[in-house]
Amino acid sequence: YVLLSHLHFSVRLSPGLLGLLSQARLHSIAAEKKNYLQEEPTSSHRRNASQFDWALMRLDNSVRRTGRIPKTLLQKVFDNTCHSGSPGGNQALLLLRSCGSLLPELKLSERTEFAHKIWDELQKLGTVYDVSHYNALLKVYLQNDHKFSPTDFLARMEKGNIQPNRVTYQRLIAAYCNMGDIEGASTILGFMKTKDLPVTEAVFSALVTGHARSGDMENAENILTVMKEAGIEPGPDTYLALLNAYAEKGDIDHVKQTLEKVEKSDLYLMDRDLLQIILSFSKAGYPQYVPEILEKITYERRYIPDTMNLILLLVTEKLEDTALQILLACPISRESSQNDFGSFFLRHCVTMNTPAEKLKDYCKKLKEAQLHTSPLQFTLQCALVAQKLDLAKVLMKALKEEGFPIRTHYFWPLLVGHQKEKNVQGIVEVLKGMHEIGVTPDQETYVNYVFPCFDSIKSVRAVLQENGCPHDDNVFSQAELRSKAVNGNLDYILSFLVDLAGVNFYCVCSNLLLLLQCTHFLSYQITELLYKDGRYCQEPPGPTEAVGYFLYNLIDSMSDSEVQAKEERLRQYFHQLKEMNVKIPENIYRGIRNLLDSYHVPELIKDVNILVEREKTDSRKPSSSDLESKLEKLKAENQPIGDILKQLIVMLCSEENMQKALELKAKYESDMVVGGYAALINLCCRHDNAEDALNLKREFDRLDSSAVLDTGKYVRLVKVLGKHGKLQDAINILKEMKEKDVPVKDATVLSFFHILNGAALRGETETVKQLHEAIVTLGLAKPSTALSSPLVTLYLEKDDLPAALESTIDCYEKYKILPRIHDVLCKLIEKGETELIQKAMDFVSQEQGEMTMLYDLFFAFLQTGNYKEAKKIIETPGIRARPTRLQWFCDRCIANNQVETLEKLVELTQKLFECDRDQLYYSLLKLYKVNDDWQKADAVWNKMQEENIIPREKTLRLLAEILRNNNQEVPFDVPELWYEEEKDCPTSLPSPVEVNLQQGLLNACHRRRNKGKHAFNIFLTAKKQNIVFDNETYARLINLLLMKDNSTQAMQVKDFAETHIKGFTLNDAANSLLIITQVRRDYLKDALTTLKTALDLDQIPSRLAVTRLIQACALKGDTESIHDIQKLVNGLEDSIGLSRMVFINNIALAQIKNNNIDVAIESIENMLTSENQTVDPQYFGLAYLFRKVIEGQLEPALKKISIMAERLANQFAVYKPVTDLFLQLVDSGKVNDARALLQRCGAIAEQMPILLVFCIRNCQRPGKAPVMKSLLELIPELIDKEEAYTCLMKSYVFDNDVTSAKALYESLTAKNVKLNDLFLKRYAVLLKNAGESVPFTEPPESFEFYAKQLKESKETHL
Amino acid sequence: MSTRGAVVLRTNIGRPVAFVRKIPWTAASSELREHFAQFGHVRKCTVPFDKETGFHKGMGWIHFSSEEELHNALQQENHIIDGVKLHVQPQKPKALQGDQTSDEEKDF
């Protein structure tokens, strides 16, 4: 059989959600269409456009900041462009243009090579080149001094059917000129003339260079005259060409003369031009003239990038001395040592293999010039990044000479490189280098960087010995231990502990912690061994200290939620330790106590306390009995005892001896001081003793009303008082916190949350509401999503979904947050509450936008296993990836180990626009790793190839790790990483040791995986083995199966339970669920039986279940069953919350379905006209019946009903039915029928309360504007009612009906109606969104503000 | 179910931790520990290294044993290691609202 998902059912039953979906899609389609009009109608185009934007932004930013593009960046952009499919022309242009002087760090030849690579690659990818691309390539050639044949180039263009343009010819002329080929240039110039192309300054500048390079300086100078004759005034470019020409000849005199000439003219050379001259001098071998030009440079800020660019270029050209000269001349502010200058130079020198000695010298000079504070350190860093061991050694030695410490981790980057390549020899070289410098490798060096290169640690030892690498055996062994611990190798650790004494126990402890973190269980074995084996504890502190330290670190290493989750486990562990006679010193106990306090589990403190070694408490401190006798002595001598009493009480408190402390207090009450009370209050709170805590607090106040407790103690008081139902007292404490200005920290807010959440889980509605209200209104904490979530949790736990949703919405209206909206939605979907879903979605859509709504719905469908529906949502046109939301859901799936859900997410988002597929697959792999499922991981590898995803390195590494852990071959090359710290490793690793079937089943129920299939399978397994679980377990399983619509399986479980557990029955909730499921599957008889069974058991079935059953019977025309149900629930209506109208409507409907129209009408009429009415006519709502009749197009029935309604109105003055009918007609679009009815029965227009309720209900949903408009047309008087016109405007705004809204506004203003701000605000926003002007001043505040204002003003009027 | 809500709020808040940025590459956890020891007892000091590169990422966390010690550290304007100024801030950027001395110490 096919299992229908809940939504299918919902859709079938009520078109609401489906309508909602299609509406959402329509919205998006409309948006999409709008885009189409603006852009070309291909999505690939848009993708390219965004790709281009990204690339442009990256390259542009780089040029703007540094005057250059690093090669890696260009490569990255190039790679990205290639992977994006078919790169567009503009992308190609962008890339080509970047291959010239913007790459100063590359040799000229390499730049051109790069350009060619890009050219060929993109062409292969289908990029179509036009003249702009050829021109860009020419420019690159020119900038890179690339030698090429211009005629060949032209031929190539011709072959590509590209017409050269003016720019092409200009550049070709420049190319000839650069080679000194005047003849060639002339040929091209001839071309230009025949084509009648204008000759510009650029051509003349080129000719200057051309003549100069051909050795004819005279004619080069002459060009300027020729230009003038041709009517073109030589500009800076021409002069620069001339200047460069002289510089190349080393003719400083002519350079100076020409510069003077320019200065005298009104021309102006920029720094950038002067830098060109410097370059020409340097490249031609005349660095001696550089300073003279440098003097003329103004160093404008905006030219700093150009200067840097030149410096880099000079280094590339091996002219690093000149580069340094320019660098040192830069007038960088030397005062602020914050920003080192020259790093780029040093880094590039390292890249270009500048000799080490030279670099050392440069560093010295930079430091002397106060340009750079730590040039040696920086250069060393560059050398390490570039893995240059020899250079690094020289620099380290230099640093050492300066007295700077050389630390172990300096060598790690060097080791990393070799480790990736598994280059043993390289590793050995580095280790030798370390020795040479005088640094010994530490544990981390071995564990993280050396061991991973070897197959086994044994072989490391051998290789090191072989190569004469000295190593400290002790450090080495510790490293070995550590690496085993990281691997979770318990046996090894145990044997190590047993075999190998003499290792520092702190080291052992830290390793054990690692081990425990990895394996996630508390090993008594290890703790005991640590404690009992004398060898670890020979040192003076002894075993107590070792274990204490160990426990402290264990708890410290756990997160607070972990400790909270494992509270019971830890408690057992502590008691086990106690039984083993393990003791810990008091000071460490105090540390642990503080930790537990900060984790919000003070309840565990008393459990640790039992381990404290009492006898050995610090002998300097007196014991409690000492203090007590001292106290008695003082008392006897009539001396003041306040101080000693406080001391004693504090001590008893720390010993958790509540009884004794309280006795003492009672005995010496008059001598109590505030401090003693504070400690006592805290103690009582810890022992959950609300009564005494409260009394003590009162005494404390009496003693000194201005005294203030610590924040933590106040919070604990609130918790204990709240828990014991002393709500007002708890609120008073909160008030006192506010009054006394007690500091509220984040931890305090967290504590508030725990208090509220605890109460919510216990179902204490008032406690949650009132405490939350008090905390928020007092301003102790902001109403955050987290803090407010218990308000919703409260109802979710009770399965009261309408209230849960209401509460969430209420939170939004009050605080602009939507706590637990996901959980609420999931439950609504599980229960098929279409109307509430619609309500929730309308709300989210309106308040947070359609996209948010779609994601909310998508996640909820996924979570509840309604994958088809989820698919529909995520395929909504126009939806795009929201990475943070997707990640949120992924993390959630990983944390809850929901494999199927996450798999579906990844599957369904395959085509999602802008979706980071690799990231999603990475998440999926993370989850597979948790479950150690290498087969699925391997399948991911294939899927990614299928989808053409380029996996990021981390993804590959993770995949390799999973495969390797399962002894599988890794089918790809992966940068080796032996162990990666997974800080975010989920805490929910299964502990296979303790899993028994029942627990497994409950867990499976909890996780709700595979529609309960997993849980059901466990049930089957147990059944085979004749294992019987307890009542609760079966109930949970049945509930789950029912919720997942597996009623057959549910019945199977039920039968088994009934036959194996005496008196096993389903509870209320399960029976209600069963009824709903049976109704859904159309097993009405069975559903009726279930209802009977439940009622026989004195259970109260849910309203929903009974209503569903009644409605289903009505649609079948089964009057009899409805009567039966009525009898069955007789007397229980109020408990169930069932209105009598449900029966009246449905019985009538059933009769009508059976063609007993007259009977139905007669009985309704009787009810409304008889003496003893059971329902007040005002509440006699027949809208449901009318709607069903109209929807079902039951014309004869409708006619008769209409007659009845009119008769009731005209003869009996009962107007409710006729008004309801009228409204249903309007609502169904039968406006003419409605109008006719109104004409026959004018009193309808006077039924204002009924009409207004209709308006208010309808304006909550979108798509009702036409209905509202029709209603207004039919009953124009409605406009006089504020509620009505408010609703009308709301509806028009909802549906963007500007025309109707305008008409409404105009008719209202024509009547001089005073409109409230909320109304105006709403109208103004509508107009603005439609791009129209607002004919009045828009109220400046927010909607919420005016809504609140309006509400308040109404309240005061009341 | 009860822990699910708690996860939302799971952080290290309430514990005296300093978040340090801009640590020079030459310094590692022992240098930091040494520096911050002047403000109090450093319980834990982590400077995670990137095992892809062999360098750390310039960030670290100093766990003090009390708020007061953290406060002391934050009070100091300049923290300089190897000539480089560190950026030190409390683990969570929210303001600390003054320190409270324990009420049990008070005698009144």
Side-chain angles (χ1 to χ4, degrees), chain B residues 45-95:
Chain B
C45 169
T46 45
V47 179
F49 271 73
D50 180 349
K51 299 207 181 70
E52 278 282 288
T53 63
F55 288 101
H56 61 68
K57 288 173 177 169
M59 293 181 293
W61 287 267
I62 319 287
H63 298 241
F64 287 106
S65 34
S66 75
E67 288 283 348
E68 202 183 332
E69 293 168 349
L70 171 65
H71 198 66
N72 288 341
L74 296 170
Q75 282 291 313
Q76 172 143 328
E77 204 176 322
N78 285 327
H79 293 272
I80 293 171
I81 291 186
D82 290 348
V84 176
K85 193 179 166 197
L86 311 178
H87 280 216
V88 182
Q89 60 192 67
Q91 165 73 336
K92 274 219 140 181
K94 285 193 184 165

Side-chain angles (χ1 to χ4, degrees), chain A residues 293-305:
Chain A
I293 310 296
L294 274 178
E295 276 170 22
K296 299 194 183 296
I297 290 186
T298 60
Y299 296 106
E300 260 186 75
R301 236 203 115 68
R302 62 189 167 122
Y303 293 117
I304 297 286

